[in-house]
Amino acid sequence: MKLHCATTNPGKLREFQRAAGAGWEVEPLPGLRDIPPPAETGATFEENAILKARYYGAHTSGWLFTDDSGLEVAALGGAPGVHSAHFAGPAATDAENNARLVAELQGKADRRARYVCVIALARAGELVKTFRGEVEGEIVNPPRGAGGFGYDPHFFYPPFGGTFGEIPLERKQE
């Protein structure tokens, strides 16, 4: 079954394709790059995921999902949160976002953090269901590993004894 995904992030798309498993074909929404993105005005991951699912879902009669995800750091009051992708500015790179994260944590002992991902599933622009997942870890510096994307090289996951930048994708999705 075909499922469209409204993301231009190649790292996310690759992880979603891997996670979908047998029987599902995850593809970018056709023409996605030509559709102006909606303003992500939600205060929560859920609000933004739903907003995007309704918006992009109107561009297909089939199944579509969107996500809103990011990193919440305890010592930063939950930041970067819904601003994770643009923590260092509107056109920030992963390296710039990571540099700001490390700078803001300087001198702080509490390194607890969690990744949050909310997926909103829609059909023809109508919300069907949302799903939320979280994983607890801590921020490390210097970064470790060249895998993953975003904050992965700084996010240490104790059950695996490594950062998400060190852990192979297959193991990360266990």
Side-chain angles (χ1 to χ4, degrees):
M1 177 179 253
K2 187 178 291 190
L3 183 61
H4 288 120
C5 178
T7 185
T8 56
N9 182 319
K12 281 186 181 183
L13 183 60
R14 186 173 47 254
E15 289 192 3
F16 289 142
Q17 288 169 329
R18 169 98 175 128
W24 290 97
E25 186 179 339
V26 176
E27 295 182 358
L29 176 65
L32 178 62
R33 294 206 183 271
D34 298 325
I35 301 169
E40 294 183 34
T41 56
T44 66
F45 294 114
E46 284 83 4
E47 289 174 2
N48 282 334
I50 291 168
L51 178 150
K52 291 186 286 187
R54 288 183 173 141
Y55 176 81
Y56 288 114
H59 295 273
T60 180
S61 60
W63 293 97
L64 170 127
F65 74 95
T66 62
D67 87 290
D68 199 49
S69 56
L71 183 69
E72 295 180 336
V73 180
L76 302 180
V82 296
H83 305 290
S84 291
H86 309 289
F87 193 42
T93 64
D94 288 348
E96 292 166 332
N97 286 331
N98 281 311
R100 179 170 179 200
L101 174 69
V102 168
E104 295 217 6
L105 281 173
Q106 190 165 348
K108 296 184 181 353
D110 185 359
R111 295 300 178 110
R112 291 175 299 133
R114 79 173 147 237
Y115 266 124
V116 176
C117 179
V118 174
I119 292 177
L121 178 65
R123 184 166 188 152
E126 294 295 320
L127 180 68
V128 175
K129 187 170 175 98
T130 61
F131 307 86
R132 181 182 177 101
E134 298 180 6
V135 62
E136 304 282 335
E138 60 188 62
I139 302 302
V140 296
N141 193 40
R144 294 173 25 194
F149 62 95
Y151 300 98
D152 286 357
H154 286 281
F155 187 82
F156 181 82
Y157 185 56
F160 289 165
T163 69
F164 277 3
E166 296 172 302
I167 298 167
L169 180 57
E170 305 78 46
R171 183 135 194 247
K172 187 177 170 185
Q173 292 183 331
E174 287 180 354

